[in-house]
C-alpha cells in the first residue's frame, strides 16, 4: 500500500500535490507530544490572544491564495470560497473575544449552616488533548472551528483533515506556527482509516470533535475511551415549509442558492420544500427556471455557480437516486442528468415518493425536491418524519403562524423567512436525533474544551 496521498484538483483530476502519510508510530508520537505539552501547562491567555491576532492577519494576507486552494482541492466555486476565507478570519476574532471574557464564578456557601465559613469559586482549565476529524466541504473554515477553539483554550490539538482536501488545513497549521504558537500544539495527521481510529480512540484523548457522516461519527463515539467528551456534527435532509410569502421572486431565487450552494454538499442544504398543493407545481417550476440557468464548471472559473462533486462515485450515487425517484413517480422539472464524471445538472424534482432515497436520505448534491401538502399539519408531520434533524425553515408573512410552525418542527434551529443554510460562526450549531451530538459554534466548542474546577476555602 502506498504511503503517499495524492491531492487532486476537484474538477480536472490533475494532481496538485503528493503528501507523505503518517504511519501508526508517528500517530502515537503525535499523541505523546500533545499529552506532554498539556502536562507542561498552557501558554498564558495574553500570549494566546497575541498569537491568534497575528494569525488572523496572516490568514487575511493570504485571502486569495486560500480561496484558490479551497476552489482547487474542494471544488467550491471561487466566489463562495472567498466568503469562506472571510468567515475563517472572523472566526479567529470570535475565539479571541470569547477567551478574553471566559471566567469562573463564585459559588455561595452560606446558603445553609453546613457551608458557613467557607468561600468557593470555580476556575477554568484546558480539558487536555483534542483530536478533530474534519470534512471536505469547507476545508478551511471547518479547521478553524475545530483547531482555533483548542488554541484559544490552551489545549493541544491533532486534526485529521479529509484526505481529499488537506491542503488548506496544512497551510493553516503552518501559519499558526508562524504566528508564534510553539511546535506541537497543533499537529496535522495524514493517515489511513485504521490509524485514524487508533488516534481517536486512544486513552490520551480528552475531547473528540467530528464532522462527517453519521455512520462514521456514531461508530467512533462508541469506541471512545471512558470519560472522553465529544461533539459530532452530521448531516440532515433539511426541510423548508412555505406557507405564504409576499416576495415570492426572492424566495425562489433563495431556494436555488440554498439547495445548490457548493453543489448541495452542505449539511444544512435545503432538500425538501413543502408548498401548498395548489401552488406546488407553479412554484416548483419557478425554482426550476432559475436552477436551469446555473453555470456548472470548474470551481476556479469566476462564472461558475456550481463546481464539481467531490468524487465520481458521488455523481454515480446521485444519478442512481434521481433515477430511482423518477421510476417511483417523481417529475423532473429541470436537470436529472450527469454532465461528466464529477458534475450533475442542477435538478428540481416535483412530488417524489416519500419513500424514495431523495426524500429520506441526505443527497449531498444539486437536487431539491418540492412536495405539495394539503394542510400545515401534514407538512409539519412530513418535515419531522425522518431520524435526522438539523436546521429547518418556514416562510410565512403571518408571524404568529410561523412561530407556531417553528415550535412544532423538530430541529435544533428554525429559520423564519430565511433558509436552512443560514449560519454565523458564533451561533450554536447542532444536530438532533441521528444528526449529531453536542453543540458546535466557536464559543460553544471552547466551553466544551474547558473544565470547571471548584476551589473551596475554609476560614
Amino acid at each position: 500500500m502506498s504511503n503517499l496521498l495524492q491531492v487532486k484538483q476537484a474538477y480536472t483530476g490533475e494532481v496538485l500535490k503528493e503528501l507523505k502519510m503518517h504511519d501508526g508510530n508517528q500517530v502515537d508520537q503525535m499523541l505523546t507530544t500533545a499529552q506532554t505539552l498539556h502536562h507542561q501547562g498552557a501558554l498564558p491567555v495574553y500570549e494566546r490572544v497575541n498569537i491568534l491576532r497575528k494569525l488572523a492577519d496572516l490568514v487575511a494576507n493570504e485571502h486569495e491564495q486560500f480561496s484558490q486552494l479551497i476552489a482547487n482541492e474542494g471544488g467550491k466555486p471561487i466566489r463562495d470560497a472567498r466568503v469562506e476565507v472571510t468567515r475563517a478570519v472572523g472566526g479567529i476574532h470570535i475565539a479571541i473575544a470569547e477567551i478574553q471574557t471566559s471566567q469562573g464564578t463564585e459559588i455561595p456557601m452560606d446558603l445553609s449552616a453546613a457551608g458557613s465559613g467557607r468561600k468557593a469559586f470555580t476556575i477554568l482549565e484546558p480539558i487536555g488533548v483534542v483530536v478533530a476529524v474534519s470534512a471536505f466541504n469547507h476545508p478551511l473554515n471547518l479547521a478553524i472551528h475545530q483547531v482555533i477553539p483548542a488554541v484559544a483554550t490552551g489545549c493541544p490539538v491533532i486534526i485529521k483533515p479529509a484526505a481529499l482536501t488537506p491542503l488548506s488545513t496544512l497551510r493553516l497549521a503552518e501559519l499558526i506556527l508562524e504566528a508564534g504558537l510553539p511546535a506541537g500544539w497543533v499537529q496535522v495527521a495524514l493517515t489511513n482509516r485504521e490509524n485514524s481510529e487508533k488516534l481517536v480512540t486512544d486513552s490520551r484523548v480528552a475531547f473528540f470533535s467530528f464532522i462527517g457522516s453519521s455512520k462514521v461519527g456514531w461508530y467512533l463515539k462508541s469506541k471512545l475511551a471512558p470519560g472522553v467528551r465529544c461533539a459530532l456534527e452530521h448531516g440532515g435532509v433539511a426541510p423548508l415549509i412555505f406557507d405564504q410569502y409576499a416576495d415570492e421572486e426572492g424566495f425562489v431565487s433563495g431556494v436555488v442558492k440554498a439547495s445548490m450552494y457548493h453543489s448541495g454538499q452542505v449539511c444544512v442544504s435545503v432538500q425538501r420544500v413543502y408548498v401548498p398543493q395548489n401552488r406546488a407545481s407553479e412554484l416548483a417550476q419557478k425554482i426550476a427556471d432559475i436552477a436551469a440557468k446555473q453555470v456548472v464548471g470548474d470551481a476556479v472559473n469566476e462564472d461558475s455557480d456550481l463546481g464539481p462533486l467531490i468524487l465520481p462515485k458521488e455523481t454515480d450515487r446521485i444519478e442512481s437516486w434521481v433515477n430511482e425517484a423518477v421510476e417511483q413517480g417523481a417529475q423532473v422539472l429541470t436537470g436529472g442528468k450527469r454532465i461528466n464524471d464529477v458534475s450533475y445538472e442542477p435538478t428540481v424534482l416535483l412530488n417524489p415518493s416519500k419513500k424514495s432515497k431523495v426524500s429520506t436520505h441526505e443527497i449531498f448534491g444539486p437536487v431539491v425536491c418540492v412536495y405539495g401538502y394539503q394542510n400545515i399539519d401534514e407538512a409539519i408531520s412530513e418535515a419531522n418524519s425522518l431520524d435526522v434533524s438539523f436546521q429547518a425553515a418556514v416562510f410565512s408573512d403571518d408571524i404568529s403562524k410561523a412561530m407556531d410552525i417553528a415550535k412544532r418542527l423538530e430541529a435544533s434551529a428554525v429559520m423564519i423567512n430565511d433558509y436552512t443554510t443560514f449560519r454565523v460562526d458564533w451561533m450554536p450549531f447542532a444536530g438532533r436525533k441521528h444528526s449529531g451530538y453536542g453543540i458546535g459554534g466557536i464559543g460553544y466548542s471552547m466551553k466544551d474544551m474547558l473544565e470547571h474546577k471548584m476551589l473551596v476555602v475554609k476560614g
Side-chain angles (χ1 to χ4, degrees), residues 87-393:
R87 282 182 60 187
V89 175
I92 299 169
H93 286 291
I94 292 168
I96 293 169
E98 186 74 25
I99 199 63
Q100 288 178 315
T101 59
S102 183
Q103 60 187 8
T105 58
E106 182 179 355
I107 311 297
M109 286 287 107
D110 58 356
L111 298 178
S112 74
S116 183
R118 294 167 176 82
K119 291 289 185 181
F121 55 92
T122 60
I123 60 173
L124 303 178
E125 297 181 333
I127 192 171
V129 177
V130 173
V131 166
V133 174
S134 204
F136 76 86
N137 52 342
H138 310 292
L140 176 60
N141 205 41
L142 294 183
I144 291 289
H145 273 259
Q146 294 175 292
V147 170
I148 298 306
V151 174
T153 55
C155 294
V157 56
I158 304 168
I159 181 169
K160 182 203 170 297
L164 297 164
T165 56
L167 301 181
S168 296
T169 300
L170 286 167
R171 183 55 185 154
L172 176 66
E174 291 172 351
L175 292 183
I176 290 172
L177 199 63
E178 187 177 332
L181 189 69
W185 282 92
V186 173
Q187 300 176 85
V188 181
L190 304 177
T191 190
N192 61 26
R193 179 167 291 187
E194 179 184 355
N195 287 324
S196 297
E197 183 172 335
K198 289 179 180 177
L199 169 66
V200 169
T201 58
D202 193 277
S203 61
R204 287 167 287 187
V205 177
F207 185 84
F208 172 50
S209 169
F210 177 84
I211 302 173
S213 77
S214 60
K215 180 180 179 181
V216 175
W218 290 113
Y219 169 77
L220 290 174
K221 181 179 182 296
S222 74
K223 299 292 184 179
L224 294 178
V228 176
R229 287 189 196 169
C230 71
L232 312 177
E233 184 184 309
H234 305 143
V237 188
L240 182 158
I241 295 176
F242 181 88
D243 171 44
Q244 57 180 7
Y245 190 64
D247 183 14
E248 285 192 2
E249 183 178 342
F251 166 77
V252 166
S253 296
V255 168
V256 173
K257 179 65 176 178
S259 59
M260 307 295 172
Y261 165 66
H262 199 2
S263 294
Q265 298 171 119
V266 179
C267 62
V268 287
S269 180
V270 171
Q271 187 170 328
R272 298 178 291 157
V273 180
Y274 297 96
V275 178
Q277 188 68 54
N278 62 346
R279 302 291 316 284
S281 295
E282 173 196 352
L283 279 178
Q285 188 59 57
K286 288 181 178 180
I287 294 168
D289 291 343
I290 295 177
K293 297 175 184 176
Q294 300 299 291
V295 176
V296 183
D298 194 334
V300 298
N301 296 339
E302 294 287 345
D303 64 344
S304 289
D305 298 306
L306 278 69
L309 295 158
I310 194 63
L311 285 171
K313 70 176 183 179
E314 297 303 311
T315 314
D316 296 339
R317 178 185 56 79
I318 292 163
E319 181 179 51
S320 171
W321 287 15
V322 171
N323 289 345
E324 175 200 66
V326 172
E327 290 169 4
Q328 294 176 353
Q331 183 180 350
V332 180
L333 300 186
T334 192
K337 294 183 177 63
R338 68 162 63 225
I339 298 171
N340 53 42
D341 282 350
V342 290
S343 301
Y344 196 84
E345 292 178 338
T347 299
V348 179
L349 301 177
L350 178 61
N351 287 323
S353 165
K354 305 296 172 58
K355 295 182 179 180
S356 295
K357 289 187 181 69
V358 298
S359 299
T360 58
H361 292 66
E362 183 179 32
I363 195 161
F364 232 57
V367 179
V368 62
C369 305
V370 180
Y371 310 83
Y373 67 82
Q374 298 291 343
N375 55 63
I376 282 292
D377 289 343
E378 178 191 349
I380 294 171
S381 177
E382 289 295 335
N384 291 340
S385 64
L386 303 181
D387 58 12
V388 289
S389 178
F390 213 136
Q391 299 196 157

